[in-house]
Amino acid sequence: MAGTIAGQDRRKAFMLLSPAYLWLTVAVFLPLSAMAYFSFLSEVPFDGRDWHFTIANYRAFFETGTYATLLWKSLKLGLVVTAVSVVIGFPCAYVLAKVVKGRAREALFLLVILPFWSNSLVRIFSWAIVLRGNGVLDRAVNAVLPWDVKLNLMFSPTAIVIGLVHSYLPYVILTSYLALQAIDDSLIEAARSLGAKRRTILWRLILPLAAPGIIAGAVLIFVPVVGSFMEPRLLGGRLGTYYGTVIEDQFVAVFNWPLGAALSFILLAVVLAILAAASPVLKRAAT
Amino acid sequence: MAEVRVERLVKAYGAARALDEVTLDFPDGGFFGLLGPSGSGKTTLLRAIAGFVLPDTGRVFIGGEPVENVPVEHREIGMVFQNYALFPNMTVEENVAFGLHVRKTGAAETAKRVKEALDLVQLGHLAARKTHQLSGGQRQRVAMARAIVTRPRVLLLDEPLSALDKALRVDMQIELKRIQREVGITTIFVTHDQEEALTLSDRIGILKDGKLVRHGPPREVYDDPRNPFTAQFLGDANLIEGKPEPEGLRLSDGTLLPGLKGPTIAVRPESLKLDTTEPAAPFRLRARLQQRIFGGAMGTCIIDWQGRPLKAVGRDADFRGLPDAGDVWLSWPRESTIEFAAKA
Ligand SMILES: Nc1ncnc2c1ncn2[C@@H]1O[C@H](COP(=O)(O)OP(=O)(O)OP(=O)(O)O)[C@@H](O)[C@H]1O
Ligand SMILES: [Mg+2]
């Protein structure tokens, strides 16, 4: 009987999917709704404190310009880091996918993945050692150049960008690599037989065909970078106040979870709005 | 349009030579079919002419000029790939226009020539389609249009029809020949399919292990293959070996084939005649008919001669009156005996 078979199928599908649903509920939905709930409270409801429902936390964002300024600063940081990562990552992916073969490719891949496997704090502090005045970079540059330069990148926006690019570069390399791998070499040969030079092939063929991968990588980078707090704090020092660090402060330092939660949701909304606004453009680039 | 010449072309991959001293002329405006078993170097030769493979030694001329130092993009070739290699991010029209854009041809001229090329392959109505919305035969045509729109000096085709099914392949063969004739481009065509090569080409070349073993007009090569490999590869051939004697060729069963030098001769399956009584022809053998295969208009007989399988093909009527199996006489006329030069 078709009905019972369909019923069995549905039951089986449900059983197979239930771990995934359970995981989604526990790991995503519950914490998110808890945060959404907090964001409408006047106080953290612990230690028998008085609390009531309010939208004051959301109002706070609009009442002072500070949060919006910081959010703007974070969005710009996200753009810069994404752009730098794409500019560095795409050529790396191209070399990996189309130039090197065999053993060399495996070795290079390992180098690309390595930041993923190292602890993020270790990674950031190693950059601190490299970038600070009289640090590794400073000494190396002075050893090479005949004149004296004072090179101290530590606690500057540049340091933050370097740290973030290093952390997130693998995303764009991996997604671009996959997209480039899918481009048949015969397409490139066909273009060459038609008289196209490397530049033309890059712009008319490779970039359009790899666009979905590049865009996926860019989105994967942009979203977390806008909310990042560790790199700005550790590598930016006094200058390292960003939207993400403010949110972190609410949770860790001043214990104002409701405000932190409200700021997080505003960030989420803004990022989603940006992606939605950009999606027609991105979709056109991706086809 | 131009003639193409390769001279003593050598390309080695490790110890193996994909091309071994290949010297060959491809006449201007001709349709040249390259044939050979898998791995014989056909693709390598084509790609060496295109410039994707750089030969170790030897020379390549297009239109009389040496091109070894000319990169692919300046060789002014048109190429059709086995998988067509259409650009998936472009429409049919944009695919065809690509080579003209690259050459910075003006918009009006580009539009005119793209239309001409698409009309030539009868695809004008699909100009706005994306390539993934096309059938195999339509893709093949787009690839052709894209390759000829730039008016290349030579058109290179690497098994362009092998991805199509039999019926469509025959249609496309006719189409290909018509297009080539209308445009008059020197065309070099790689194929596995000997029938395809024989129908389409003005001249053919046969490669074996990187060596050119025979080339010439199809009929000439077929009638006088000059070596057993070509005889068996092009069409089909029954090879018969024996010892040369002053009066003729002495076979292992004692038969003397008068006037033949040997040591190897070949007979086409369609030249073999089967009889139950001894024929008068001077070239005749005693053999065993093993099997008759009915194949519609044409039939095939599998014959055993001295432990070697031979094949005869003919109209089913030619084999009337033969038993299904048993002893028979084989004979063939003197003029259809294929003899080879002393050293193949
Ligand atoms: N890039 C390469 N590296 C190593 N060996 C190669 C390479 N390309 C071709 N060969 C070798 O050269 C020989 C000729 O190859 P080629 O592709 O020209 O054969 P082909 O005649 O086109 O065969 P097919 O009919 O199967 O396409 C083969 O033995 C092949 O293994
Ligand atoms: Mg081949």
Side-chain angles (χ1 to χ4, degrees), chain A residues 202-227:
Chain A
L202 180 69
W203 285 104
R204 297 280 319 269
L205 210 57
I206 293 175
L207 279 176
L209 290 175
I214 301 173
I215 290 167
V219 170
L220 281 178
I221 293 178
F222 180 74
V223 175
V225 164
V226 174

PDB file of all heavy atoms in Angstrom, chain A residues 202-227:
ATOM      1  N   LEU A 202      41.183  35.845 -17.302  1.00  0.00           N
ATOM      2  CA  LEU A 202      40.895  36.058 -15.885  1.00  0.00           C
ATOM      3  C   LEU A 202      39.575  36.802 -15.700  1.00  0.00           C
ATOM      4  O   LEU A 202      38.719  36.391 -14.920  1.00  0.00           O
ATOM      5  CB  LEU A 202      42.045  36.835 -15.241  1.00  0.00           C
ATOM      6  CG  LEU A 202      41.877  37.117 -13.755  1.00  0.00           C
ATOM      7  CD1 LEU A 202      41.970  35.836 -12.944  1.00  0.00           C
ATOM      8  CD2 LEU A 202      42.930  38.110 -13.269  1.00  0.00           C
ATOM      9  N   TRP A 203      39.420  37.901 -16.442  1.00  0.00           N
ATOM     10  CA  TRP A 203      38.245  38.758 -16.216  1.00  0.00           C
ATOM     11  C   TRP A 203      36.977  38.215 -16.830  1.00  0.00           C
ATOM     12  O   TRP A 203      35.899  38.365 -16.271  1.00  0.00           O
ATOM     13  CB  TRP A 203      38.509  40.172 -16.763  1.00  0.00           C
ATOM     14  CG  TRP A 203      39.426  40.929 -15.868  1.00  0.00           C
ATOM     15  CD1 TRP A 203      40.739  41.182 -16.081  1.00  0.00           C
ATOM     16  CD2 TRP A 203      39.110  41.511 -14.589  1.00  0.00           C
ATOM     17  NE1 TRP A 203      41.265  41.867 -15.020  1.00  0.00           N
ATOM     18  CE2 TRP A 203      40.284  42.086 -14.095  1.00  0.00           C
ATOM     19  CE3 TRP A 203      37.940  41.579 -13.828  1.00  0.00           C
ATOM     20  CZ2 TRP A 203      40.354  42.733 -12.872  1.00  0.00           C
ATOM     21  CZ3 TRP A 203      37.986  42.222 -12.604  1.00  0.00           C
ATOM     22  CH2 TRP A 203      39.186  42.789 -12.133  1.00  0.00           C
ATOM     23  N   ARG A 204      37.091  37.599 -18.013  1.00  0.00           N
ATOM     24  CA  ARG A 204      35.878  37.179 -18.699  1.00  0.00           C
ATOM     25  C   ARG A 204      35.457  35.766 -18.330  1.00  0.00           C
ATOM     26  O   ARG A 204      34.312  35.385 -18.524  1.00  0.00           O
ATOM     27  CB  ARG A 204      36.088  37.257 -20.220  1.00  0.00           C
ATOM     28  CG  ARG A 204      36.363  38.630 -20.763  1.00  0.00           C
ATOM     29  CD  ARG A 204      35.103  39.470 -20.944  1.00  0.00           C
ATOM     30  NE  ARG A 204      33.969  38.733 -21.487  1.00  0.00           N
ATOM     31  CZ  ARG A 204      33.686  38.632 -22.773  1.00  0.00           C
ATOM     32  NH1 ARG A 204      34.426  39.221 -23.652  1.00  0.00           N
ATOM     33  NH2 ARG A 204      32.629  37.951 -23.180  1.00  0.00           N
ATOM     34  N   LEU A 205      36.409  34.971 -17.842  1.00  0.00           N
ATOM     35  CA  LEU A 205      36.100  33.558 -17.667  1.00  0.00           C
ATOM     36  C   LEU A 205      36.286  33.107 -16.218  1.00  0.00           C
ATOM     37  O   LEU A 205      35.351  32.642 -15.573  1.00  0.00           O
ATOM     38  CB  LEU A 205      37.015  32.755 -18.601  1.00  0.00           C
ATOM     39  CG  LEU A 205      36.463  31.447 -19.109  1.00  0.00           C
ATOM     40  CD1 LEU A 205      35.153  31.683 -19.825  1.00  0.00           C
ATOM     41  CD2 LEU A 205      37.457  30.797 -20.042  1.00  0.00           C
ATOM     42  N   ILE A 206      37.515  33.285 -15.726  1.00  0.00           N
ATOM     43  CA  ILE A 206      37.811  32.687 -14.426  1.00  0.00           C
ATOM     44  C   ILE A 206      37.078  33.397 -13.297  1.00  0.00           C
ATOM     45  O   ILE A 206      36.426  32.751 -12.466  1.00  0.00           O
ATOM     46  CB  ILE A 206      39.333  32.692 -14.203  1.00  0.00           C
ATOM     47  CG1 ILE A 206      39.968  31.738 -15.203  1.00  0.00           C
ATOM     48  CG2 ILE A 206      39.669  32.267 -12.785  1.00  0.00           C
ATOM     49  CD1 ILE A 206      41.452  31.721 -15.187  1.00  0.00           C
ATOM     50  N   LEU A 207      37.145  34.729 -13.264  1.00  0.00           N
ATOM     51  CA  LEU A 207      36.463  35.438 -12.180  1.00  0.00           C
ATOM     52  C   LEU A 207      34.951  35.209 -12.204  1.00  0.00           C
ATOM     53  O   LEU A 207      34.382  34.879 -11.165  1.00  0.00           O
ATOM     54  CB  LEU A 207      36.806  36.929 -12.203  1.00  0.00           C
ATOM     55  CG  LEU A 207      38.148  37.266 -11.553  1.00  0.00           C
ATOM     56  CD1 LEU A 207      38.461  38.747 -11.701  1.00  0.00           C
ATOM     57  CD2 LEU A 207      38.169  36.865 -10.091  1.00  0.00           C
ATOM     58  N   PRO A 208      34.289  35.340 -13.353  1.00  0.00           N
ATOM     59  CA  PRO A 208      32.847  35.067 -13.331  1.00  0.00           C
ATOM     60  C   PRO A 208      32.517  33.648 -12.874  1.00  0.00           C
ATOM     61  O   PRO A 208      31.562  33.438 -12.134  1.00  0.00           O
ATOM     62  CB  PRO A 208      32.421  35.264 -14.788  1.00  0.00           C
ATOM     63  CG  PRO A 208      33.448  36.127 -15.384  1.00  0.00           C
ATOM     64  CD  PRO A 208      34.724  35.842 -14.666  1.00  0.00           C
ATOM     65  N   LEU A 209      33.328  32.681 -13.307  1.00  0.00           N
ATOM     66  CA  LEU A 209      33.014  31.299 -12.952  1.00  0.00           C
ATOM     67  C   LEU A 209      33.349  31.000 -11.496  1.00  0.00           C
ATOM     68  O   LEU A 209      32.736  30.144 -10.874  1.00  0.00           O
ATOM     69  CB  LEU A 209      33.753  30.329 -13.880  1.00  0.00           C
ATOM     70  CG  LEU A 209      33.245  30.308 -15.320  1.00  0.00           C
ATOM     71  CD1 LEU A 209      34.115  29.421 -16.186  1.00  0.00           C
ATOM     72  CD2 LEU A 209      31.800  29.830 -15.360  1.00  0.00           C
ATOM     73  N   ALA A 210      34.335  31.705 -10.952  1.00  0.00           N
ATOM     74  CA  ALA A 210      34.713  31.460  -9.563  1.00  0.00           C
ATOM     75  C   ALA A 210      33.931  32.347  -8.604  1.00  0.00           C
ATOM     76  O   ALA A 210      34.043  32.199  -7.388  1.00  0.00           O
ATOM     77  CB  ALA A 210      36.219  31.675  -9.377  1.00  0.00           C
ATOM     78  N   ALA A 211      33.125  33.268  -9.151  1.00  0.00           N
ATOM     79  CA  ALA A 211      32.441  34.245  -8.303  1.00  0.00           C
ATOM     80  C   ALA A 211      31.632  33.620  -7.159  1.00  0.00           C
ATOM     81  O   ALA A 211      31.717  34.103  -6.025  1.00  0.00           O
ATOM     82  CB  ALA A 211      31.552  35.145  -9.161  1.00  0.00           C
ATOM     83  N   PRO A 212      30.869  32.555  -7.408  1.00  0.00           N
ATOM     84  CA  PRO A 212      30.107  32.002  -6.290  1.00  0.00           C
ATOM     85  C   PRO A 212      31.002  31.617  -5.112  1.00  0.00           C
ATOM     86  O   PRO A 212      30.653  31.870  -3.949  1.00  0.00           O
ATOM     87  CB  PRO A 212      29.449  30.759  -6.895  1.00  0.00           C
ATOM     88  CG  PRO A 212      29.410  31.009  -8.350  1.00  0.00           C
ATOM     89  CD  PRO A 212      30.617  31.848  -8.664  1.00  0.00           C
ATOM     90  N   GLY A 213      32.149  31.032  -5.411  1.00  0.00           N
ATOM     91  CA  GLY A 213      33.073  30.630  -4.351  1.00  0.00           C
ATOM     92  C   GLY A 213      33.659  31.838  -3.633  1.00  0.00           C
ATOM     93  O   GLY A 213      33.756  31.855  -2.398  1.00  0.00           O
ATOM     94  N   ILE A 214      34.046  32.854  -4.400  1.00  0.00           N
ATOM     95  CA  ILE A 214      34.626  34.050  -3.791  1.00  0.00           C
ATOM     96  C   ILE A 214      33.587  34.720  -2.888  1.00  0.00           C
ATOM     97  O   ILE A 214      33.885  35.111  -1.751  1.00  0.00           O
ATOM     98  CB  ILE A 214      35.089  35.041  -4.881  1.00  0.00           C
ATOM     99  CG1 ILE A 214      36.133  34.369  -5.779  1.00  0.00           C
ATOM    100  CG2 ILE A 214      35.656  36.294  -4.248  1.00  0.00           C
ATOM    101  CD1 ILE A 214      36.519  35.220  -6.971  1.00  0.00           C
ATOM    102  N   ILE A 215      32.358  34.807  -3.377  1.00  0.00           N
ATOM    103  CA  ILE A 215      31.304  35.467  -2.604  1.00  0.00           C
ATOM    104  C   ILE A 215      31.007  34.682  -1.326  1.00  0.00           C
ATOM    105  O   ILE A 215      30.888  35.260  -0.240  1.00  0.00           O
ATOM    106  CB  ILE A 215      30.037  35.618  -3.468  1.00  0.00           C
ATOM    107  CG1 ILE A 215      30.296  36.666  -4.552  1.00  0.00           C
ATOM    108  CG2 ILE A 215      28.850  36.021  -2.616  1.00  0.00           C
ATOM    109  CD1 ILE A 215      29.256  36.692  -5.632  1.00  0.00           C
ATOM    110  N   ALA A 216      30.939  33.366  -1.457  1.00  0.00           N
ATOM    111  CA  ALA A 216      30.685  32.556  -0.272  1.00  0.00           C
ATOM    112  C   ALA A 216      31.777  32.808   0.758  1.00  0.00           C
ATOM    113  O   ALA A 216      31.500  33.007   1.952  1.00  0.00           O
ATOM    114  CB  ALA A 216      30.632  31.078  -0.650  1.00  0.00           C
ATOM    115  N   GLY A 217      33.022  32.826   0.311  1.00  0.00           N
ATOM    116  CA  GLY A 217      34.128  33.074   1.226  1.00  0.00           C
ATOM    117  C   GLY A 217      34.036  34.458   1.843  1.00  0.00           C
ATOM    118  O   GLY A 217      34.251  34.635   3.050  1.00  0.00           O
ATOM    119  N   ALA A 218      33.674  35.452   1.031  1.00  0.00           N
ATOM    120  CA  ALA A 218      33.585  36.823   1.528  1.00  0.00           C
ATOM    121  C   ALA A 218      32.518  36.942   2.614  1.00  0.00           C
ATOM    122  O   ALA A 218      32.731  37.574   3.652  1.00  0.00           O
ATOM    123  CB  ALA A 218      33.287  37.775   0.378  1.00  0.00           C
ATOM    124  N   VAL A 219      31.376  36.295   2.384  1.00  0.00           N
ATOM    125  CA  VAL A 219      30.302  36.352   3.384  1.00  0.00           C
ATOM    126  C   VAL A 219      30.743  35.655   4.665  1.00  0.00           C
ATOM    127  O   VAL A 219      30.518  36.151   5.780  1.00  0.00           O
ATOM    128  CB  VAL A 219      29.010  35.713   2.819  1.00  0.00           C
ATOM    129  CG1 VAL A 219      27.969  35.557   3.924  1.00  0.00           C
ATOM    130  CG2 VAL A 219      28.467  36.551   1.688  1.00  0.00           C
ATOM    131  N   LEU A 220      31.420  34.512   4.492  1.00  0.00           N
ATOM    132  CA  LEU A 220      31.893  33.773   5.663  1.00  0.00           C
ATOM    133  C   LEU A 220      32.869  34.614   6.483  1.00  0.00           C
ATOM    134  O   LEU A 220      32.999  34.428   7.690  1.00  0.00           O
ATOM    135  CB  LEU A 220      32.596  32.482   5.225  1.00  0.00           C
ATOM    136  CG  LEU A 220      31.693  31.324   4.833  1.00  0.00           C
ATOM    137  CD1 LEU A 220      32.521  30.141   4.366  1.00  0.00           C
ATOM    138  CD2 LEU A 220      30.819  30.918   6.015  1.00  0.00           C
ATOM    139  N   ILE A 221      33.579  35.501   5.843  1.00  0.00           N
ATOM    140  CA  ILE A 221      34.532  36.343   6.555  1.00  0.00           C
ATOM    141  C   ILE A 221      33.845  37.575   7.131  1.00  0.00           C
ATOM    142  O   ILE A 221      33.999  37.906   8.305  1.00  0.00           O
ATOM    143  CB  ILE A 221      35.667  36.785   5.610  1.00  0.00           C
ATOM    144  CG1 ILE A 221      36.506  35.581   5.204  1.00  0.00           C
ATOM    145  CG2 ILE A 221      36.538  37.835   6.273  1.00  0.00           C
ATOM    146  CD1 ILE A 221      37.612  35.924   4.245  1.00  0.00           C
ATOM    147  N   PHE A 222      33.073  38.246   6.299  1.00  0.00           N
ATOM    148  CA  PHE A 222      32.494  39.535   6.676  1.00  0.00           C
ATOM    149  C   PHE A 222      31.670  39.425   7.957  1.00  0.00           C
ATOM    150  O   PHE A 222      31.834  40.223   8.882  1.00  0.00           O
ATOM    151  CB  PHE A 222      31.624  40.048   5.522  1.00  0.00           C
ATOM    152  CG  PHE A 222      30.967  41.359   5.792  1.00  0.00           C
ATOM    153  CD1 PHE A 222      31.707  42.530   5.784  1.00  0.00           C
ATOM    154  CD2 PHE A 222      29.610  41.432   6.069  1.00  0.00           C
ATOM    155  CE1 PHE A 222      31.111  43.748   6.042  1.00  0.00           C
ATOM    156  CE2 PHE A 222      29.003  42.641   6.330  1.00  0.00           C
ATOM    157  CZ  PHE A 222      29.755  43.799   6.316  1.00  0.00           C
ATOM    158  N   VAL A 223      30.817  38.436   8.032  1.00  0.00           N
ATOM    159  CA  VAL A 223      29.884  38.350   9.150  1.00  0.00           C
ATOM    160  C   VAL A 223      30.608  38.227  10.502  1.00  0.00           C
ATOM    161  O   VAL A 223      30.378  39.041  11.393  1.00  0.00           O
ATOM    162  CB  VAL A 223      28.870  37.209   8.925  1.00  0.00           C
ATOM    163  CG1 VAL A 223      27.975  37.044  10.136  1.00  0.00           C
ATOM    164  CG2 VAL A 223      28.053  37.489   7.676  1.00  0.00           C
ATOM    165  N   PRO A 224      31.492  37.271  10.679  1.00  0.00           N
ATOM    166  CA  PRO A 224      32.161  37.198  11.992  1.00  0.00           C
ATOM    167  C   PRO A 224      33.105  38.368  12.263  1.00  0.00           C
ATOM    168  O   PRO A 224      33.275  38.753  13.421  1.00  0.00           O
ATOM    169  CB  PRO A 224      32.927  35.875  11.935  1.00  0.00           C
ATOM    170  CG  PRO A 224      33.014  35.513  10.513  1.00  0.00           C
ATOM    171  CD  PRO A 224      31.858  36.133   9.818  1.00  0.00           C
ATOM    172  N   VAL A 225      33.706  38.932  11.217  1.00  0.00           N
ATOM    173  CA  VAL A 225      34.656  40.023  11.459  1.00  0.00           C
ATOM    174  C   VAL A 225      33.932  41.257  12.015  1.00  0.00           C
ATOM    175  O   VAL A 225      34.444  41.934  12.905  1.00  0.00           O
ATOM    176  CB  VAL A 225      35.432  40.380  10.164  1.00  0.00           C
ATOM    177  CG1 VAL A 225      36.122  41.735  10.303  1.00  0.00           C
ATOM    178  CG2 VAL A 225      36.475  39.313   9.878  1.00  0.00           C
ATOM    179  N   VAL A 226      32.725  41.521  11.535  1.00  0.00           N
ATOM    180  CA  VAL A 226      31.984  42.678  12.045  1.00  0.00           C
ATOM    181  C   VAL A 226      31.736  42.537  13.541  1.00  0.00           C
ATOM    182  O   VAL A 226      31.761  43.518  14.287  1.00  0.00           O
ATOM    183  CB  VAL A 226      30.657  42.849  11.268  1.00  0.00           C
ATOM    184  CG1 VAL A 226      29.815  43.947  11.891  1.00  0.00           C
ATOM    185  CG2 VAL A 226      30.935  43.181   9.822  1.00  0.00           C
ATOM    186  N   GLY A 227      31.531  41.316  13.995  1.00  0.00           N
ATOM    187  CA  GLY A 227      31.277  41.123  15.422  1.00  0.00           C
ATOM    188  C   GLY A 227      32.505  40.733  16.215  1.00  0.00           C
ATOM    189  O   GLY A 227      32.405  40.415  17.398  1.00  0.00           O
TER     190      GLY A 227
END
